Amino acid sequence: MRRWVFADQLGPHFVDGNQPVLLIESRAVFRRRRFHRQKAHLVLSALRHRARELGERAIFLQGETYAAALDTVGEPVEVCAPTSFAARRLVERRPDVTMLPERGFVTSAADFARWVTGRGRRRLLLEDFYRDARRRLGVLMDGDEPAGGAWNYDHDNREPPPRTDRLPVPEPWRAHEDDVDAEVRADLDRWERDDGITFVGADGPRWAPATADEAAAALRHFVATRLATFGRWEDAMLAGDPFMSHSLLSPALNLGLLNPLECVRAAEAAYREGHAPLASVEGFVRQIMGWRDYVWHLYWHFGPDYRHANALDAHAPVPDWLWGLDADAVTARCLRGVLADLRARGWVHHIPRLMVLGNWALQRGVDPAELTAWFHASFVDGYDWVMLPNVVGMSQHADGGRMATKPYAAGGAYVDRMSDYCGECAYDPKVRVGPHACPFTAGYWAFLARNAERLRGNHRMRQPLAGMTRLRDLDAVVAQEERRGTAPP
Ligand SMILES: Cc1cc2nc3c(=O)[nH]c(=O)nc-3n(C[C@H](O)[C@H](O)[C@H](O)COP(=O)(O)OP(=O)(O)OC[C@H]3O[C@@H](n4cnc5c(N)ncnc54)[C@H](O)[C@@H]3O)c2cc1C
Ligand code: SF4
């Protein structure tokens, strides 16, 4: 039967043998959200490259909606389970489409369900999920024991940045654009000019892989040149080095161009062959078969209503300057830099996402569902399944702690320790009140004051809440932050 592949199922592992394929490019998707221009470019480029690769094996339909395109196919098709609630609903409604089990993740839905059942009433902890998967698949295992004798090397990882402008590591892999990219760019220009479709962010050379071959090259490059230093500076930020030693593989993974288990095996081989230290390799493996898979399964486990969770009663709208990625409106050096990086390429690594962008919104009580929509539109690697748990749960604590045991709120001292942003900033991370009051430091205390009652039962918040009660200027901090609100800091 013909295999329909969605635009995030573009790798060879989403089809079997030489079967015929159906690809659909839907323009309506770009009318529903104002995406980052480079995200639209990447998705269309990857889809069109796949169509070219498959040649006569594929029917490639370009139209307004999936449903209208499917109506013209004239034969039944099958599809690997799509990655969002909305897409699965669409597929389930169609008698001419058969849905197969999902692909593209390390742990299957059945293995995840077995793990959940085995937990009984215990929390669904990432650490336990990850260890279970490593045992089951024999990844970084020496017999029954974890390689090196420990499961977790976090204490060796996560150093503050060195005192340099850039990390001493080779540049990440870069794509070379071709005629498909030129055609995509011309189409996007035309849609903007004639068709009422608008984008945010800068256009720029495509930097992420658009084919499985490019993705394999990017993985090889990362493993050979950057994996060894991945763990050490995993949480650090440098104003002049947005990439640090990260892999930049999330866009390729989320387009389905890379098989995550192959990434894991490639990293393990580097360790076994003595090319990368265990702490870095374990840190990377944990991200892929731990975090990525965990987030994927929680998306389905928590269900469609999770997107409306709002345990901290946060209702501030996402401000226009954030929707527009208007870094120039911002004075706070960390937020300004991160927003400029996001505008430039639709990507920043996990600490700017969590501890700068997410932290700022959490402190100001931005509506979690609207913030999820903002992240989804602004990031090249953003998809519903990965955004919901990461933003609603992990970053905004809107699920009341189902995913993260405490809110990821932090003051300027954290940013100061883990980056070089604060030195040249107009604000001072130690100052709470007045014109130099760091918005993250003051925002942190205002956040605690606003949510003190809601967080009182959380034993991990006991110490910060006690610290808050000792602040003599708390009322002034709260009044100041109410005044500053969600204006660009
Ligand atoms: C608020 C917030 C929003 C996020 N939104 C996304 C998103 O839309 N898409 C996305 O892929 N990741 C998202 N992440 C997770 C993480 O920030 C990115 O996967 C990572 O920064 C991508 O860069 P990289 O490929 O260099 O990652 P690396 O640091 O090199 O990590 C390797 C891989 O691990 C996986 N990974 C690590 N953490 C996570 C996680 N929490 N969730 C899912 N995958 C993970 C990614 O596939 C990533 O490519 C988000 C995190 C936060 C805190
Ligand atoms: S002082 Fe505050 S606003 Fe300025 S860079 Fe540091 S954390 Fe960011």
Side-chain angles (χ1 to χ4, degrees):
M1 195 185 288
R2 187 174 291 277
R3 176 74 52 84
W4 173 22
V5 297
F6 274 88
D8 58 358
Q9 301 178 327
L10 297 177
H13 51 297
F14 286 94
V15 290
D16 294 319
N18 267 338
Q19 73 180 143
V21 173
L22 168 67
L23 294 155
I24 302 177
E25 180 182 300
S26 151
R27 204 182 298 185
V29 169
F30 299 103
R31 293 189 206 286
R32 281 198 288 272
R33 289 178 202 271
R34 193 166 166 231
F35 284 108
H36 198 293
R37 165 84 189 219
Q38 292 184 43
K39 180 179 200 174
H41 185 116
L42 179 64
V43 172
L44 292 186
S45 174
L47 195 61
R48 294 180 188 186
H49 273 100
R50 186 68 172 134
R52 177 184 281 188
E53 232 169 55
L54 289 165
E56 290 186 351
R57 257 178 75 195
I59 299 176
F60 179 36
L61 300 173
Q62 293 170 290
E64 195 55 31
T65 65
Y66 289 121
L70 279 171
D71 288 342
T72 68
V73 175
E75 59 179 304
V77 295
E78 59 183 22
V79 65
C80 297
T83 62
S84 70
F85 288 107
R88 284 201 187 172
R89 275 195 300 274
L90 167 84
V91 163
E92 279 160 3
R93 275 200 303 269
R94 304 276 316 193
D96 50 347
V97 182
T98 306
M99 191 161 75
L100 306 172
E102 68 204 34
R103 296 187 188 181
F105 293 86
V106 175
T107 292
S108 69
D111 280 331
F112 182 76
R114 252 192 299 280
W115 177 73
V116 171
T117 308
R119 302 291 293 170
R121 295 168 61 84
R122 284 173 299 160
R123 286 178 71 94
L124 302 181
L125 292 179
L126 173 273
E127 187 65 35
D128 294 347
F129 167 75
Y130 165 66
R131 291 181 189 186
D132 186 75
R134 268 185 53 193
R135 274 197 207 94
R136 185 163 25 83
L137 294 156
V139 172
L140 286 178
M141 297 296 294
D142 291 336
D144 291 338
E145 295 301 315
W151 292 102
N152 188 320
Y153 288 86
D154 277 358
H155 55 276
D156 291 344
N157 292 342
R158 300 171 178 177
E159 288 178 24
R163 291 183 176 278
T164 49
D165 291 344
R166 305 178 68 86
L167 284 190
V169 298
E171 289 285 313
W173 179 90
R174 279 299 167 97
H176 295 287
E177 290 200 1
D178 60 10
D179 56 319
V180 175
D181 292 296
E183 181 196 281
V184 167
R185 179 160 290 112
D187 282 353
L188 292 178
D189 284 345
R190 193 163 40 76
W191 294 0
E192 270 193 298
R193 202 176 51 238
D194 305 334
D195 205 4
I197 293 177
T198 56
F199 301 104
V200 290
D203 188 11
R206 173 172 66 81
W207 55 267
T211 66
D213 284 348
E214 286 187 351
L219 173 63
R220 278 195 304 274
H221 180 86
F222 168 70
V223 170
T225 62
R226 298 160 58 83
L227 173 63
T229 43
F230 173 83
R232 185 166 175 199
W233 292 303
E234 204 180 335
D235 283 4
M237 298 180 281
L238 284 171
D241 188 352
F243 310 120
M244 304 299 281
S245 201
H246 287 274
S247 72
L248 277 70
L249 290 173
S250 54
L253 277 160
N254 296 352
L255 286 167
L257 296 172
L258 274 177
N259 186 336
L261 194 53
E262 280 171 18
C263 301
V264 164
R265 298 284 184 210
E268 175 164 11
Y271 160 64
R272 300 281 179 200
E273 288 157 17
H275 300 315
L278 181 56
S280 265
V281 171
E282 190 283 315
F284 180 70
V285 165
R286 167 183 296 269
Q287 298 306 307
I288 304 268
M289 63 185 281
W291 279 107
R292 183 171 187 271
D293 257 66
Y294 179 67
V295 158
W296 162 255
H297 289 293
L298 289 185
Y299 173 78
W300 299 104
H301 181 74
F302 288 155
D305 290 342
Y306 190 74
R307 87 180 58 245
H308 306 299
N310 197 349
L312 298 182
D313 214 11
H315 299 287
V318 172
D320 287 347
W321 57 269
L322 204 52
W323 276 117
L325 308 182
D326 185 5
D328 306 332
V330 178
T331 305
R333 189 160 179 254
C334 55
L335 187 55
R336 182 184 171 93
V338 167
L339 212 50
D341 289 339
L342 184 57
R343 180 175 63 191
R345 56 189 78 81
W347 179 95
V348 291
H349 74 72
H350 73 132
I351 294 301
R353 295 187 204 206
L354 188 64
M355 303 311 290
V356 179
L357 297 168
N359 188 17
W360 182 86
L362 173 68
Q363 290 179 352
R364 268 124 211 114
V366 172
D367 183 89
E370 204 181 316
L371 188 71
T372 307
W374 175 78
F375 266 101
H376 187 155
S378 312
F379 280 81
V380 291
D381 58 8
Y383 294 84
D384 201 47
W385 66 267
V386 65
M387 279 304 173
L388 266 193
N390 270 312
V391 181
V392 170
M394 184 81 174
S395 156
Q396 298 301 295
H397 208 69
D399 62 357
R402 287 176 87 182
M403 202 174 158
T405 46
K406 79 181 193 48
Y408 277 95
Y414 174 90
V415 178
D416 196 20
R417 189 170 63 252
M418 295 309 290
S419 80
D420 62 351
Y421 281 118
C422 298
E424 291 172 35
C425 183
Y427 301 113
D428 181 335
K430 293 193 192 66
V431 175
R432 287 188 295 269
V433 190
H436 298 296
C438 164
F440 285 89
T441 301
Y444 174 71
W445 296 114
F447 166 80
L448 286 186
R450 191 172 68 249
N451 291 293
E453 283 314 310
R454 293 188 191 93
L455 298 174
R456 211 169 288 289
N458 183 332
H459 74 277
R460 295 193 65 195
M461 297 307 291
R462 209 168 290 154
Q463 224 179 344
L465 288 172
M468 179 194 76
T469 58
R470 287 194 292 272
L471 293 185
R472 291 218 196 100
D473 54 5
L474 184 62
D475 289 347
V477 173
V478 169
Q480 164 189 281
E481 290 314 292
E482 266 171 23
R483 240 184 357 263
R484 299 208 283 199
T486 57

